[in-house]
Amino acid sequence: MHKLLYYPNFEIQDQNFLKFALLYIDEIKPIIPVCARETLSDSMHNILKNTDLINPYAPNYESGYVASLAAIKYLEEKNIAERYGAFRQRNIGLRHNYTLYADKYTYEFENYCLENGVGERCNEGILLNEDVAYAYMSILAEIISKETETDMITDNVKYADTTLKFNNRFNSNRIDRLGMVQREIQFYVPYDMRKIPLNEFINLRADSRFETARKNFVIELNTVLDLYDRNVVDIDLNEWISLKAVIEDEKATFYLNDDPQPLLVVDQMIHG
């Protein structure tokens, strides 16, 4: 798995997946306008500064224009504005709680949202109800995915709505493969990854020895899985993946590819 386009947020919300990504994925492209990068967390800045995992993608005008028109069509087909108005009349509050930055859309979408009471202006762009904003981001991500020939991924199942996609080039086999590899890697790290600090994974990814081993691992794994997908070979990943951790009290020692020298030693584990 070489490159993935992440949506709908600026930052990956599932820390366990982020840790897995630091171990395996070559590159993740979250959709982040240049003007919004100062809002990122310290952890995100640490990843950007010290690893090559995150490569923010700034949407262009053409993508925002196509997404704006497609989103208007989608909202019309789903009667979102009409349903939204009915909810508000019954005093069922639908808060405008998601900021959609202006670099992600064009005037057409903003005007539609304002005229139909679906959003309101703010300094950064427009404030929308979360469901409307995430619907828009799903459509924008699909358009960018097609333009850049990059598979999409989200860690929010609620908004992975297949009805938001059109002329879809989403490669479900590769995403299924990603889930399988994540499960395998977690199996070979027999200590709960949630209890290992994120900074340890960042430091590991920043280590040149690990990065060389990781890239070789990814090449070999993808080669075997390509053969597996084509039914050329029948292989059990347990036979050849060698990623393990040795846990002793508060110390964890990590080994990769049967190397006798540990790639990472964590002296103070987090206990939950």
Side-chain angles (χ1 to χ4, degrees):
M1 186 63 61
H2 302 293
K3 296 181 181 181
L4 293 170
L5 181 72
Y6 172 78
Y7 76 102
N9 299 300
F10 291 164
E11 303 187 34
I12 295 171
Q13 304 299 297
D14 183 341
Q15 279 231 337
N16 235 29
F17 177 76
L18 179 56
K19 292 172 182 177
F20 161 73
L22 286 161
L23 292 177
Y24 176 67
I25 297 174
D26 286 341
E27 182 178 285
I28 293 179
K29 293 177 174 289
I31 304 169
I32 308 176
V34 174
C35 62
R37 294 182 188 178
E38 63 184 23
T39 68
L40 300 176
S41 68
D42 290 343
S43 293
M44 186 70 156
H45 282 296
N46 190 7
I47 294 172
L48 286 167
K49 179 180 178 180
N50 295 301
T51 80
D52 59 354
L53 174 65
I54 301 295
N55 181 17
Y57 182 89
N60 57 42
Y61 175 86
E62 289 75 17
S63 298
Y65 176 71
V66 174
S68 293
L69 298 184
I72 292 170
K73 180 179 179 182
Y74 172 80
L75 295 177
E76 286 286 298
E77 290 175 348
K78 297 293 183 179
N79 295 319
I80 298 296
E82 182 177 337
R83 289 162 50 199
Y84 190 92
F87 283 141
R88 291 179 70 88
Q89 288 178 4
R90 293 201 301 267
N91 295 318
I92 301 176
L94 286 180
R95 295 182 301 138
H96 296 156
N97 56 357
Y98 186 104
T99 301
L100 190 66
Y101 277 71
D103 288 355
K104 292 184 175 182
Y105 61 86
T106 58
Y107 167 78
E108 289 79 6
F109 183 71
E110 176 181 302
N111 190 56
Y112 176 86
C113 291
L114 296 177
E115 285 188 352
N116 289 276
V118 178
E120 57 189 280
R121 286 194 181 95
C122 64
N123 291 335
E124 296 84 3
I126 51 176
L127 283 172
L128 302 171
N129 169 261
E130 189 175 75
D131 289 340
V132 174
Y134 280 17
Y136 181 85
M137 284 304 303
S138 298
I139 293 170
L140 177 63
E142 170 69 9
I143 290 167
I144 295 172
S145 172
K146 292 175 67 177
E147 288 178 350
T148 61
E149 298 186 346
T150 307
D151 287 309
M152 300 160 50
I153 193 167
T154 180
D155 54 359
N156 192 323
V157 177
K158 179 180 178 182
Y159 299 105
D161 181 358
T162 56
T163 65
L164 295 170
K165 304 180 187 304
F166 51 97
N167 297 326
N168 198 340
R169 68 164 301 277
F170 178 76
N171 192 324
S172 60
N173 287 337
R174 272 188 275 183
I175 299 304
D176 289 343
R177 171 189 295 184
L178 182 66
M180 178 180 66
V181 174
Q182 183 176 5
R183 289 191 297 272
E184 291 289 337
I185 286 181
Q186 288 176 333
F187 175 79
Y188 279 90
V189 180
Y191 197 80
D192 192 341
M193 289 174 67
R194 287 174 295 185
K195 296 182 179 180
I196 303 173
L198 176 62
N199 280 344
E200 299 294 349
F201 288 86
I202 297 173
N203 294 338
L204 180 60
R205 177 69 177 246
D207 187 294
S208 60
R209 287 194 308 135
F210 172 80
E211 186 61 4
T212 298
R214 187 197 67 79
K215 288 180 178 178
N216 290 336
F217 171 79
V218 169
I219 291 171
E220 292 182 19
L221 179 58
N222 284 334
T223 298
V224 172
L225 291 178
D226 283 339
L227 296 173
Y228 181 83
D229 287 343
R230 300 200 303 268
N231 296 318
V232 175
V233 295
D234 184 12
I235 189 167
D236 183 354
L237 291 178
N238 297 346
E239 296 177 359
W240 64 279
I241 293 180
S242 179
L243 175 64
K244 63 181 180 179
V246 177
I247 310 296
E248 295 178 354
D249 297 324
E250 295 186 352
K251 180 178 180 180
T253 306
F254 291 83
Y255 301 87
L256 184 66
N257 292 343
D258 296 323
D259 189 337
Q261 299 297 319
L263 287 175
L264 173 66
V265 177
V266 181
D267 290 317
Q268 293 183 338
M269 303 292 287
I270 299 175
H271 295 284

